[in-house]
């Protein structure tokens, strides 16, 4: 079965978050299930540089003000079609934001082009390829199912990685999208008088998934649905949650080239060498006390404002922190100020650093994920695999993937981390205290680490669920 995956990010070519990890891992994970996945992505500079033997399979003389070519080839081992459109994608810096830190003014055109190319490729309008299923990820690819619905083509699946990002644009964009007038309606992209990419995808895709069962429930409620819950409730019978896995080849402490010392469950005591390396890297006082880790976008979604406000308490409790992140300026400032107040106790790397994020998982005792909402979350899964015990908010995929160390779970010997709710300072600080107390009991801490390291965070199970869903759509 041929599946065309359309997304704006693809690891290891281009990544700003978990979306890339997921779209990058799925092709290999689905292969054993008989799925031949081709990935279509924008021709950003990093993609064009990595593309090998790109063959032109299609050319648009003018798409949103410039010539666009579809180039098929391989890039870092992945079978891709790059949408080569220099006027839309040949820009440096963050893929979504201009130098002023705001969304590029033409994101509607940039991702409209991705969606048009994906729909044309999937539906066989481009010679030499057709897809049995189109799999669109997030708002940037969400118009692709709309084109298939209004122009014809294969069945489509729309995956929501984060409903907070919807792709809303003025109605004036509609005329340039090449859709029939009937698509500017409740059954298409119209949303309170504007054009909303994600709304269009959710209204027209044959099936909708999100990245955990709990988040699938949550987005059908006004509290989490961000205005799209009514539509999702109306389509509830085609909405499901499939929890993300991780690429256990990229994330393997036994072979990871970004960490100081390799280890496995049998040699977990070797983690201490990574702790020493991390202390040096983050300029932390060396010590055997609990060392918390954070690898995160520094945003409201991630609860990082609440976390920043808890830093004095964290240090007062005797703990230390290593944090890598980048995001909202106010949160960055608050975290840097706390690091200045507590030299040697709080180490911060402001920015995006893939290699150091592996070292945090290998060297810290805990990974903290205090998100207000979290569709799936991957850092807690990396933590489980690396013996870095997750301390997480009880929401979305965090609730589904971490087993809280309550008395019942401890007695049953199944706990893998700590959950807290609601997301506020007292309950976060309480969770940190619970983790610190458990850390003092070396034997139970080691058991907790090993249970995490032994839990299945691979793609095996979820890949077969995706494969079954594709087949169901195809045969429907
Ligand atoms: P989200 O996609 O919402 O940001 P996820 O937990 O699904 O959250 O995925 C985040 C991904 O981005 C993980 O692979 C994480 O390690 C990585 N990441 C986030 N921030 C940074 C950073 N500053 N440096 C390196 N990697 C980061
Ligand atoms: C989004 C979500 C995150 C999820 C990732 C991959 O970025 O915020 O929770 O893990 O997509 O699905």
């Amino acid at each position: 079965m041929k599946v065309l995956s359309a997304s704006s990010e693809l690891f290891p070519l281009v990544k700003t978050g978990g979306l890339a990890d997921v779209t990058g891992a799925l092709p290999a994970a689905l292969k054993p299930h008989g799925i031949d996945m081709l990935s279509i992505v924008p021709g950003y500079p990093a993609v064009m540089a990595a593309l090998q033997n790109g063959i032109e399979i299609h050319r648009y003389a003018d798409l949103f003000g410039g010539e666009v070519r579809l180039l098929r080839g391989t890039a870092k081992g992945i079978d891709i079609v790059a949408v080569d459109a220099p006027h839309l994608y040949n820009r440096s810096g963050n893929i979504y934001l201009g130098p002023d830190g705001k969304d590029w003014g033409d994101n509607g055109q940039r991702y409209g082009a991705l969606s048009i190319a994906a729909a044309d490729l999937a539906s066989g309008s481009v010679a030499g390829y057709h897809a049995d299923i189109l799999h669109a990820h997030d708002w940037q690819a969400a118009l692709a199912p709309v084109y298939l619905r209004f122009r014809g083509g294969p069945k489509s699946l729309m995956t929501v990685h984060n409903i907070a990002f919807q792709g809303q644009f003025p109605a004036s964009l509609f005329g340039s999208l090449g859709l029939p007038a009937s698509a500017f309606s409740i059954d298409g992209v119209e949303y309170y008088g504007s054009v909303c990419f994600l709304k269009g995808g959710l209204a027209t895709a044959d099936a909708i998934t999100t990245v955990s069962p709990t988040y699938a429930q949550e987005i059908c409620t006004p509290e989490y649905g961000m205005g799209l819950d009514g539509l999702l409730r109306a389509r509830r019978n085609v909405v499901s949650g499939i929890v993300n896995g991780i690429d256990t080849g990229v994330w393997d402490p036994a072979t990871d080239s970004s960490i100081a010392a390799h280890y496995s469950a049998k040699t977990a005591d070797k983690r201490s060498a990574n702790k020493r390396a991390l202390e040096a890297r983050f300029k932390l006082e060396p010590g055997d006390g609990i060392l918390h880790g954070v690898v995160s976008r520094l945003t409201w979604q991630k609860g990082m404002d609440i976390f920043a406000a808890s830093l004095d308490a964290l240090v007062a409790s005797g703990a230390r922190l290593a944090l890598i992140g980048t995001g909202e300026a106010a949160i960055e400032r608050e975290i840097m100020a706390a690091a200045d107040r507590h030299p040697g106790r709080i180490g911060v790397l402001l920015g995006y650093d893939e290699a150091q994020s592996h070292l945090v998982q290998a060297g810290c005792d805990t990974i903290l994920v205090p998100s207000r909402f979290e569709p799936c979350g991957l850092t807690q899964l990396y933590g489980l695999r690396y013996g870095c015990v997750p301390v997480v908010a009880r929401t979305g995929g965090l609730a589904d993937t971490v087993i809280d160390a309550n008395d019942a779970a401890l007695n049953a010997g199944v706990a893998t981390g700590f959950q807290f709710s609601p997301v506020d300072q007292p309950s976060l600080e309480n969770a940190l205290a619970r983790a610190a107390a458990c850390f003092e009991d070396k034997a139970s801490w080691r058991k907790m680490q090993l249970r995490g390291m032994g839990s299945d965070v691979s793609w095996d199970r979820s890949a077969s669920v995706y494969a079954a869903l594709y087949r169901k759509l195809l045969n429907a």
Side-chain angles (χ1 to χ4, degrees), residues 306-336:
I306 290 168
F307 180 65
S310 290
L311 288 177
D312 290 338
L314 181 149
V315 172
S317 75
R320 291 166 302 155
L321 169 73
L323 176 146
I324 305 187
T326 167
E328 292 165 16
I331 298 178
E332 290 189 352
R333 270 198 304 276
E334 214 181 319
I335 288 174
M336 288 317 288

Side-chain angles (χ1 to χ4, degrees), residues 15 17-18 21 295-297 302 324-325 351-353 377-379 382:
K15 165 170 169 176
D21 291 349
V295 178
S296 183
R297 293 187 284 120
K302 299 291 178 179
I324 305 187
Y352 192 94
D353 191 325
L378 297 175
T379 52
Y382 302 140

Side-chain angles (χ1 to χ4, degrees), residues 17-19 22 138 161-162 211 244 297 301-302 374-378:
L19 169 66
V22 172
D138 271 357
H161 295 263
N162 191 334
V211 286
N244 289 331
R297 293 187 284 120
Q301 177 200 338
K302 299 291 178 179
E374 194 60 76
C376 180
L378 297 175

